[in-house]
Each structure stands twice: as C-alpha cells, then as structure tokens.
Amino acid sequence: MTQKREVPGIRPYNSPAGGWGALKATAKAVRDQMDVTEAPGLLLRTNKPTGFDCPGCAWPDKEHTSTFQFCENGAKAVTWEATNKRVTPEFFAEHTVSELLTWSDYELENAGRLTHPMVYDHASDTYRPIAWEGAFARIGDVMRSQPDPDMVEFYTSGRASNEAAFLFQIFAREYGTNNFPDCSNMCHEATSVGLPQSIGIGKGTVSLDDFDECDLIISMGHNPGTNHPRMMGTLHECSRRGVPIIVFNPLKERALERFADPQDPIEMGTFSSTRIASSYYQVKIGGDAAALKGIMKAVLALAETSPDVLDHAFIAEHTTGFDALVADINRTEWADIERVSGLARADLERVAEIYAKSKATIVAYGMGITQHAKGTANVQQIANLLLLRGNFGRPGAGICPLRGHSNVQGNRTVGITEKPTPALIEGIERAFGFTAPAHHGHDAVAAMQAMAEGRSKVLICLGGNFSIALPDPELCAQAMRKLDLAVHMNTKLNRSNLLIGKESFLFPVLGRTEQDVQATGAQSVTIEDSMSMVHASRGRLKPASDQLRSEPAIVAGIAQATLPNSKVAWMELITDYDLIRDKIEVVYPDFADYNERIRVPGGFRLPIGPTERVWKTPSGKAEFKLFDGLNEDISLSDGTILKLATIRSHDQYNTTIYGLDDRYRGVFGRRDILFMNDKDLKAKGLEHGDLVEIETALPSGAKRLLKLTAISYDISEGSVAAYYPEANCLIPIDYQDKESGTPSYKSVPVRVSKAA
Ligand SMILES: Nc1nc2c(c(=O)[nH]1)N[C@H]1C(S)=C(S)[C@@H](COP(=O)(O)OP(=O)(O)OC[C@H]3O[C@@H](n4cnc5c(=O)[nH]c(N)nc54)[C@H](O)[C@@H]3O)O[C@H]1N2
Ligand SMILES: Nc1nc2c(c(=O)[nH]1)N[C@H]1C(S)=C(S)[C@@H](COP(=O)(O)OP(=O)(O)OC[C@H]3O[C@@H](n4cnc5c(=O)[nH]c(N)nc54)[C@H](O)[C@@H]3O)O[C@H]1N2
Ligand SMILES: [Mo]
C-alpha cells in the first residue's frame, strides 16, 4: 500500500487488534451513552447465568459460567441499548418526519430510546402518542379488512427472543400466511438451505469444546475482531496451543493477523500480542469455491500416493456422491482455479498438505461465503472438504457458520420460516388446534418485491430496519410508501420507521438489558447461540420508560385485536413465559422439559444429527454437492470490472452506526470510503484519496452510481470494498443467490472511474 498523499481521516493502524485501544474504545462507548457509575455493574452481568445475553453476537460462552469476557463491541451493543438518551413524544413534536429523514442513520439512533407508542399523523407530518389498546384495535381493524392474508408481511430481525418469535409465527399462521421475511434471508440463508442438503441440518455442528481439541482452523469470509469479538478469545487460545489458523479473506483484517487479549495481563502489560493467522490468503472476492475446489483437487492428488489422506471408511458408510465430486474436481483446471481464486496452486497445495495431516479440522465462515450469487453452493463446498476426511461426528471437527444476530438461529428453530414443514404444521395443530397454512410464503426479497408491486399492503416488523438492510434503497422506500399499514417494534428510531404509507405505528420495546415484569412477576426469555445452546436471559435494568412493553406482550396484543375467535389464549400466555415455552415444547419435541432445562446454568444443547453421524437428508447419508463451474459470472470479467463487497466497520451493528471510525482499517471520522488495491488504482489512473464514481456493471437494469473516496488498501487485486448500508444503492433487489434468496451483497460487479 502506498498512502503517500495525506487523506483526511486515513492513517495506517499499526497496533494489534484488541489491547489498550479496545479498553479505550469501551470507556468511550460508556461515556457517550451511559451514567458512568451504572455501566460497570451492567457490563458485569453480561452473559452470566443469572444475567442477560449479550445482544452483540451469537458466539457462545463456556457453559455460561465464565467470568465476564471483556469485549469492546459487546460493550458498544449494551451501552447503545442502555443509553440515557430518550426519544419522547416531545422529541417527535419538535421534528417532523420529513426533517428526520434528512438526519443520518447515526443521528437517528443516537437520539436515544423510544419511550411511547406512537402513530403517524399526516396533517402535522409527525408521530404522535397513542394509547396501546387504541393502537392495537386500529391495527386489528386494518388486518381484518385485508382481502387476503398473504397481503401481510411478518418481518423478524434476529434479536427477538424464542418466546417473541414463536408467538409472532403462531399469530401469522393463525391469521393465514407464511410470509416471513427475516434478517436471516439476508444473512445465513445459504447455510439454512445448503447444509440441510449436505449434512441434514442447517446449523453449525461444533461446540466450544471442539475448539479445545481441533488441530486446524480454516477461517473464511468473516471478521471476528469486529463482528464476533468473543471468538477472538477462542482463536487466541488455539493459536497459543499451536493450532494452525488458515485465513481466506480478500482484505487484510488486523484481528485475523494479531490480537492482544485485553484479559491477558501479560500482553496488556508488555504491549505484546499473539499472531492469529498462520497463513493469510487474500482470495479474490467470489473466489472461495475455486479455492476450495483447488484444495480438494490437491487432497485427491495426495490421496493417490497416500490413501489415508481420505477417510475411505467414512465416505463409504456415511456419504453419497463421492464419485461425482471426484469427476467434477478432475474436470476443473488449475489455471481456472488460480485465475478465479487469485491464489497460487502451490499455496492451495500447501493448505491441502496441512489439512491432510490434521486429525480434526474446523472450518468457520461468515458473510464472505454466504452473500454471493452462489452462496449456497459455496457453503456446500466447505461441507465437501470436511466430508473428505470425515470431519463430522468426531471431537474437534466440524463446520462453524458464524451466525449474525444473537438469536437469529433461535428464531429459525421456533418457526420463523416461509416454508413450513409438515412436522411444524402438525405441531401447531397439536398445540393450538388450528391448521396452519402449508403454501410457501415470502422471504425478505420476495416480500419487498410484493410491497413494491402493491401485492402486499401490510408490514409488521418485530425489530430491525428492513428497508435499509435490503439492497436498492430507492425501490424499498417506494415500497414502504405504498403500504396501507406499517407496524414497527423497535428500541430505537431508524429510517424504516420514517418511510410512511397510509398508516404507521411505532412501538417501543423492552431490550435485553431491561426487567420484563408480567402478571406473575419478572420473566426470563430464551436465546439459542451459534452452537445450538439454548439458555435463559434476564434483564435487570429499569426500563427506558414505564410505557415500554415486551415483544411477546405487543405481539399478543396485536394478535388478540386481530383474531377475535383465536384458538390461542394470548393474554394468558404472556402472564408467565413458562406457558409460552410449554407450547414451544408441544410443537417441537426437541425442547422436551424446556422449562426445567433452562433453569440449569448454561441451559441445554439442541440435538445436532451430524455430531452423532446421523444425516437427515433424503438419502439418509451426507451428500457431496457439486459447484457448477467456478464462479457465477465469469462472463462479466471484461478486464475493467471489479468486484465490490459491502462490509461492516468496527463502529457499527448492521444498520446501526455507533460511530464513524473503523479503527483497525485505519479509517477515522468518515465512512465514504472505497478500499482498493494499489494495482487497480494505477490501472485506472487513480491515486490514493481520489474521489471516484462507482457504477454497477450488471448487463441490465437501472443506472446505479455512488461517489466515494478511493484509498489504497491491502485487498486482493480486482476486489474493492465499501461500507454497508451506504453502498446498498449499487445492488439491484433481485441480484441474489437464486437457491437461497440471499442478496449478493459481497460480489457486485462495478466500474470505478475518477469523479468529474
Ligand atoms: N459489532 C458488530 N457485530 C456484529 C454485526 C455488526 O454489524 N457489528 N453484525 C452481526 C451480523 S447480523 C452478522 S451476519 C455478522 C457478520 O459478520 P461477518 O461475516 O464478519 O461480516 P462482514 O463485515 O459483512 O464481512 C465479513 C468478511 O468477509 C470478507 N469478504 C468479503 N467478500 C469475501 C469473499 O468473497 N470471500 C471471502 N473469503 N471473504 C470475503 C470481508 O473482507 C470481511 O472481512 O456479525 C454479527 N455481529
Ligand atoms: N449491503 C449489505 N447489506 C446487508 C448486509 C451486508 O453485509 N451488506 N448484511 C445483511 C445482514 S447479515 C443482516 S442480518 C441484515 C440486518 O437487518 P436488520 O436485522 O433488519 O437490521 P438491524 O440494523 O440489525 O436493525 C436495527 C434496529 O433494530 C432495533 N432493535 C435493536 N434491538 C432490538 C430489540 O431488542 N428488539 C427490537 N424489537 N428491536 C431492536 C433498533 O430499533 C435498530 O434500529 O442486513 C443485511 N444487509
Ligand atoms: Mo446477519
């Protein structure tokens, strides 16, 4: 990287990730949002058996009995929710919705916690307070007047508890639809669709203990220093144990290079750090399947002279499709693998050698794998690599998708899906005595398309910022404005709340950190982490206002008002969440003794078939799945086209912008940046710091442009990166993985030129 010219806000960051910088940033997060005397007590209750589950990420804690695990971005998530700032009826009276639309995403959420149920008033262009019961009654009227239940969309963002998500899906299904757009559709849907075909379950198979026993970790397309910070403790330990950690990522991410653990007194005292990646391969954006096929090709070549390199017994007993995989790999030429992955054959052969020696391998992956036009097939290539050496159902081995929102996996487990299985429909019949609809509903993209085309008229959001998280903000804004009714349940104000159609309600909800008191007393909710551990979470803080209601209570209120002849005892269920969990147990037998088992510290683990070598696929075996060719759109590589990935900064949580720095990448006080390789800058006649115009280079569709400042960065050639959600305007809504519906947020073909 040659950063000769001074560019405002751009300075190389030379320290390790973590360390004193992380402590300083935590102190700042506390200072900016909270009463400094309250914060330590609150942060110390994070992830304790009697405390609340950190809303920051879905990484588990050891049995949930560990001492507090220091984590900068967890502290940001917690203090952002527990802030002293408030968005009151007076605030809304002072600011019209048109004015608020001119605020940045950062300014909107930083205004503070919502305090009252509000309804939009067209005459004054403001949100005005409304009583809960009046709001529910009006929503019920509009819902009942819809000609077809499939004209209503039920959106979930993965922060909702199991109890809230379960009630939400029961409500939607009794109302008569399977329209469940969900943040997971933008996130790990490729995992939810790809892995069941490969190994019979759409979840990770490893537990934290497996990290103690593995002897190789391959990390692909995730940035744990920012997005799964508690994973850094695990990687740090593994590295110190001498476990090779092989990273595939187009960007050099500091936390994957070296990390100083703020809980390690020696590293902190001596300003030293631990290296994380033993080798770091800067794959081209969208080149992972090629890299994986290259590694498999080299493994198969090794197996010709040392047959033990493959687990033949496992392959014979537990898999199908091996011969087809070998034929496909044989057809794939090294020259193509090198060109598409951007990696040298010798490097991939080296990875294969290490893999062939490892007795227990874990592959961890994130959005760099799933958010591609071939996301599902990408995930399946990871499963293939692991299957070749029987890396399932053995200590220290398995697949580790890094989930996003802290309970996104749980939401799926308790029924948020647009494609209900017969077992789910039977379970609902058993528990509630009504027949849920079987026809498939809308996922996130399909829901927004239906809204844009006027086929759906109502949107009910259990959290999140739906229209900003999706691609194509212009289309999403138009779609929102065509609605008859939008209902938002949020902790904080965001842009989706301000895109108003006929009627809009904005409901303030209790967050994870707050006490949830119902008729029978204080309640706990339950959460499922990335490793299928289900445990209780209980907030202790006084709620942000006495008007707040819990998500289960709001869902029950709307359901009761919408369905006068409901088979569900909505008001009774929310008096005591044990009653909701009893119903979950009736629908899902895997939750047997739910209420007893979550009272044990650490909770319980849901069954994961592959850990017992049980494969719930059509063939009853694990299946090798083929990746057709190497890359989705080689036809688009005309030499001038670059691939754009949209990524998260260190100071953001999805569409929530905590601040304007991205410390580990050396960006301060701004987000209008395009990360570019030096060679690409030169080839386009650009210099570090030039203002550039980025144009989407898809064959058809509207012209999509964005201006950013290009900076020289250590990123693979042919690849560029910019921040989400600012760059979402470059992505058409239907540019997606057709198998899973996931938008291809990480591989947008673009042209970059100097701005006029
Ligand atoms: N603090 C914080 N924590 C979070 C979140 C947050 O926004 N902030 N979001 C939560 C959610 S919902 C999610 S889904 C997760 C997201 O966590 P991650 O999966 O880590 O998310 P991203 O930042 O989108 O990008 C991941 C990485 O993919 C790399 N990448 C991009 N394209 C490619 C590619 O083609 N191949 C490979 N191998 N790598 C590529 C990028 O360089 C980046 O390092 O984090 C969760 N936790
Ligand atoms: N370009 C691009 N776009 C992407 C991605 C990308 O990598 N690139 N990533 C995608 C991914 S992985 C995801 S998961 C989606 C995220 O999509 P969403 O989950 O819809 O978005 P968030 O930004 O997490 O939602 C933020 C809002 O959640 C509300 N909130 C916070 N806590 C709570 C709570 O406890 N309860 C309730 N009811 N509300 C709460 C706050 O009001 C806040 O404004 O975005 C996707 N969009
Ligand atoms: Mo996500």
Side-chain angles (χ1 to χ4, degrees), residues 548-616:
L548 301 193
R549 288 202 181 173
S550 75
E551 291 168 340
I554 301 171
V555 171
I558 302 174
Q560 170 97 344
T562 304
L563 306 166
N565 303 316
S566 178
K567 295 265 169 73
V568 183
W570 295 105
M571 292 306 132
E572 190 194 331
L573 284 177
I574 58 165
T575 58
D576 179 348
Y577 296 174
D578 278 1
L579 300 174
I580 307 177
R581 289 185 283 268
D582 286 340
K583 289 292 186 187
I584 296 179
E585 183 177 330
V586 177
V587 178
Y588 295 100
D590 282 353
F591 283 88
D593 302 325
Y594 198 175
N595 281 309
E596 289 78 70
R597 285 196 290 166
I598 54 152
R599 284 176 168 77
V600 178
F604 63 96
R605 191 164 194 223
L606 289 168
I608 302 288
T611 62
E612 317 284 326
R613 299 198 163 173
V614 171
W615 320 98
K616 291 190 178 160

Side-chain angles (χ1 to χ4, degrees), residues 388-685:
L388 287 180
R389 288 184 46 76
N391 277 304
F392 289 100
R394 196 201 290 156
I399 194 159
C400 179
L402 289 145
R403 289 282 168 169
H405 272 300
S406 52
N407 196 38
V408 59
Q409 186 163 319
N411 286 189
R412 278 318 182 91
T413 305
V414 301
I416 302 294
T417 167
E418 73 282 4
K419 298 179 194 131
T421 58
L424 174 54
I425 294 171
E426 283 159 30
I428 292 175
E429 183 93 53
R430 216 167 33 238
F432 297 104
F434 71 85
T435 309
H439 64 280
H440 290 181
H442 295 150
D443 66 4
V445 167
M448 192 55 79
Q449 287 170 324
M451 286 159 51
E453 291 162 19
R455 290 181 279 115
S456 287
K457 298 304 275 180
V458 176
L459 171 68
I460 306 189
C461 294
L462 182 57
N465 192 1
F466 183 35
S467 62
I468 303 306
L470 274 175
D472 203 336
E474 210 173 303
L475 176 134
C476 291
Q478 283 167 13
M480 294 291 288
R481 292 189 164 116
K482 283 189 182 163
L483 290 172
D484 285 347
L485 171 67
V487 179
H488 302 277
M489 295 172 241
N490 285 99
T491 50
K492 290 193 150 184
L493 181 62
N494 65 43
R495 199 169 301 280
S496 292
N497 308 149
L498 303 172
L499 300 168
I500 289 171
K502 280 206 190 106
E503 293 183 63
S504 273
F505 292 86
L506 177 51
F507 292 149
V509 306
L510 288 172
R512 284 277 169 81
T513 54
E514 291 164 318
Q515 293 162 3
D516 180 353
V517 180
Q518 302 296 338
T520 60
Q523 305 296 315
S524 296
V525 293
T526 55
I527 308 294
E528 177 182 340
D529 67 30
S530 248
M531 295 179 184
S532 303
M533 292 294 301
V534 179
H535 52 263
S537 168
R538 177 176 286 205
R540 305 275 162 162
L541 284 188
K542 190 166 161 265
S545 117
D546 61 8
Q547 288 290 308
L548 301 193
R549 288 202 181 173
S550 75
E551 291 168 340
I554 301 171
V555 171
I558 302 174
Q560 170 97 344
T562 304
L563 306 166
N565 303 316
S566 178
K567 295 265 169 73
V568 183
W570 295 105
M571 292 306 132
E572 190 194 331
L573 284 177
I574 58 165
T575 58
D576 179 348
Y577 296 174
D578 278 1
L579 300 174
I580 307 177
R581 289 185 283 268
D582 286 340
K583 289 292 186 187
I584 296 179
E585 183 177 330
V586 177
V587 178
Y588 295 100
D590 282 353
F591 283 88
D593 302 325
Y594 198 175
N595 281 309
E596 289 78 70
R597 285 196 290 166
I598 54 152
R599 284 176 168 77
V600 178
F604 63 96
R605 191 164 194 223
L606 289 168
I608 302 288
T611 62
E612 317 284 326
R613 299 198 163 173
V614 171
W615 320 98
K616 291 190 178 160
T617 58
S619 64
K621 296 193 172 193
E623 300 188 3
F624 286 101
K625 293 281 168 191
L626 303 189
F627 187 104
D628 191 16
L630 277 178
N631 189 271
E632 63 274 24
D633 45 13
I634 293 179
S635 61
L636 285 173
S637 329
D638 67 358
T640 65
I641 292 178
L642 303 172
K643 281 280 189 65
L644 169 82
T646 57
I647 54 174
R648 293 159 167 79
S649 80
H650 193 60
D651 272 3
Q652 86 181 73
Y653 197 96
N654 299 339
T655 67
T656 295
I657 312 299
Y658 302 129
L660 301 179
D661 295 350
D662 192 5
R663 189 167 81 247
Y664 298 151
R665 299 195 185 109
V667 177
F668 300 89
R670 60 192 297 184
R671 295 173 50 85
D672 55 343
I673 293 297
L674 183 72
F675 297 92
M676 255 179 111
N677 182 292
D678 257 349
K679 288 193 183 140
D680 291 322
L681 279 173
K682 271 203 202 86
K684 309 219 174 276

Side-chain angles (χ1 to χ4, degrees), residues 193-201 296 314-326 376-388 392 399 610 613-627 739:
V193 171
L195 286 188
Q197 297 171 20
S198 294
I199 57 169
I201 191 165
M296 288 191 274
F314 175 86
I315 292 171
E317 192 187 337
H318 288 288
T319 72
T320 66
F322 176 68
D323 294 339
L325 177 81
V326 174
T376 302
N378 276 346
V379 169
Q380 293 177 334
Q381 295 315 297
I382 295 179
N384 286 351
L385 177 67
L386 288 167
L387 286 170
L388 287 180
F392 289 100
I399 194 159
R613 299 198 163 173
V614 171
W615 320 98
K616 291 190 178 160
T617 58
S619 64
K621 296 193 172 193
E623 300 188 3
F624 286 101
K625 293 281 168 191
L626 303 189
F627 187 104
E739 255 192 280

Side-chain angles (χ1 to χ4, degrees), residues 733-755:
I733 189 95
D734 59 353
Y735 184 58
Q736 62 186 153
D737 173 16
K738 295 296 174 211
E739 255 192 280
S740 69
T742 316
S744 311
Y745 295 117
K746 297 278 190 279
S747 52
V748 188
V750 293
R751 289 199 172 81
V752 177
S753 56
K754 194 159 176 159

